[in-house]
Structure formats: structure tokens, C-alpha cells
Amino acid sequence: MAELDETAAGFSSAVDRLTSNYDGRICLAVSGGPDSLALLLLAERAMPQRIVAATVDHGLRSEAAQEASFVSDICRRLGIPHATLKPDQPITGNLQSAAREVRYALLHRHADAQQCSWIATAHHADDQLETFVMRLARGCGVDGLSGIRPVNGRVIRPLLDLSKARLESICGDAGISPMRDPSNDDTDFDRVRIRHWLEQNELPFGSGDVVKSSRALAEASQALDWMTENLADERIEKQDDGLALRAAGLPAEIKRRLLLRAVQKLQPGYMARGEAVTQAILSLGNGGKTMLGDIILTGGDIWRLSPAPPRKKQG
């Protein structure tokens, strides 16, 4: 009991830190697995009158309705308002990516309806370790290696300092047997393959070390964003129907961030892949011409960006 009280106190402090001492209602994303059930139990212990819970049923697995009902029963016993959220339309395309997008859209809509300014998810230290190793394997830079951000918009992750083992023990001590999502064992997903590899190999560092490094990298990323923000007005100028970017003399990472900022000014929402941006910068540095998304880039002393002409319709 004392250990639970101590963990709940740490959880409360984390929420206060991440939300700048917000004292209103928080929406908890609870799937029925051990991580999110521990989130529910800790929040109920720390701030019982300030929480609502929501479970997303994407309509992709037959077990999802049973999992939502399971969470609903637990919330009823704890006296916590609970809702099952379902998408308005069937999920198509890249299922993992589309399901994530739908999940957060539903959570945001429900949070608004419940007058919750923040949404809490159950990402933990082991998730951070998996993310770090997965992105390291992909050759990511500062932004990627900063991992799962403790705060992303209205979403907070107050469990990032806790291990999965600790979260499972919280459920066990409460006499709750969590549901198990079979997709967590599907090795078609990169994260699952990384998780299995980590289970079979002993690293010379632990999840706590990665949490600290990810936090330091996130701070470095924020510093680079700050520098980019301050340089943007000076280095990016409107020119005809496009933009001119004076990138000469800047470090490579600042060039990359300014170029992405300029591209997104002309094509909002476009996110270029890292390798594509690297190749574009090499081409521009050599005075070449290339494209990112629907934007034509021309190199030289000043990099020029302009929207590509509309594609001709096929007759």
C-alpha cells in the first residue's frame, strides 16, 4: 500500500509538471491492457474526482468490444465515468497509421465533450526504450532519437519514468488481470520485432538510461527549433509566388529545419522523409534542382522554392 501511495504521488507530480499545474479534468485513454489499467488505477488514487476514461474500439478486432466492456466494468466499480469510442467510418489504408490517427481524433473529440483540457496515455519507460532502439536502427537524428515526447499538444505521458514491470505489479496488487492484445505479438510490426529482440538480448543500458537520454535529446531538439524560429524571419523571404531561403553559412541541421519550414509554408501538412531532405540539401548545395512534395527547389547562393505547376488532366 505504501509503495502504491508513493507511486501515485509521483504520478500526480508528473501530471502537475506536464500540465503546468492544471487542476481540471483529464481524459484517460484506457485499452484494457496492463499499462493503461495501471494509468487508471494511479489516477484514481491520485485524483479520483478529476478523471474520465475512454476506450477506443476501432472495429478492427472482434475482441475489442469485450475489452471495452471489461474496462467499463472496472470504471463502474471505481466510480469513474467511462465511454467506448467508435469511428464514424471503417478504417482503411495503412491500418496501423490510420488507426492511430482515428484513435487520437476520437480521444480529442471526447475530451472536448467532457471539458478535459488534457488527454493522458500510458506510454512507459519500456516503450521509450523500444522507440529509441527502433529509431536508432532507422538512422534517425536528434528529433527521432528524442523518442516519445512527454507532452505532445494536449496529450501527456505521465508514466514515462515507470517500467512495464512496475505497471503490471500495480494491476496484480489490485487483483486485476489485464486483457492481452494479440497484435502485441504480431512480428509484422517493427515495434514487436524490436520488443522480442530486447527480450532476448541484454543491453549495457536500461530503459531508465534511455529515458534520461531521450529527455536530453528532446531539450536539444527544442533548442534547435528555437534557433530556427528566430532565424526564419531573417533567412526566409517571400519572392514572387514562392520563397527564397538564404542558407549559406549555416550548420547543416539548421539548413534542414529552415528548408522544411519553408516547404511547409508553401505546402502545409507535407512531411518529407529524412533521406529525401538530405538528398535535396546535397542537390541544392551543388546548385542543382529538385523537388520535395509539390515544391520545386532550385539551388545556388540563395535557395528558391516555388509551387510546381498544376498537373495536366489526363484526357
Side-chain angles (χ1 to χ4, degrees), residues 251-268:
E253 179 63 16
I254 298 298
K255 287 182 182 179
R256 188 184 73 83
R257 288 172 185 264
L258 283 170
L259 178 61
L260 283 173
R261 184 183 179 89
V263 168
Q264 288 167 6
K265 277 180 175 288
L266 297 178
Q267 189 178 345

Side-chain angles (χ1 to χ4, degrees), residues 123-130 159-163 207-208 211:
H123 294 89
H124 49 75
D126 293 62
D127 289 327
Q128 191 72 288
L129 173 60
E130 292 168 7
L159 304 182
L160 282 178
D161 288 331
L162 296 177
S163 69
S207 58
V211 168

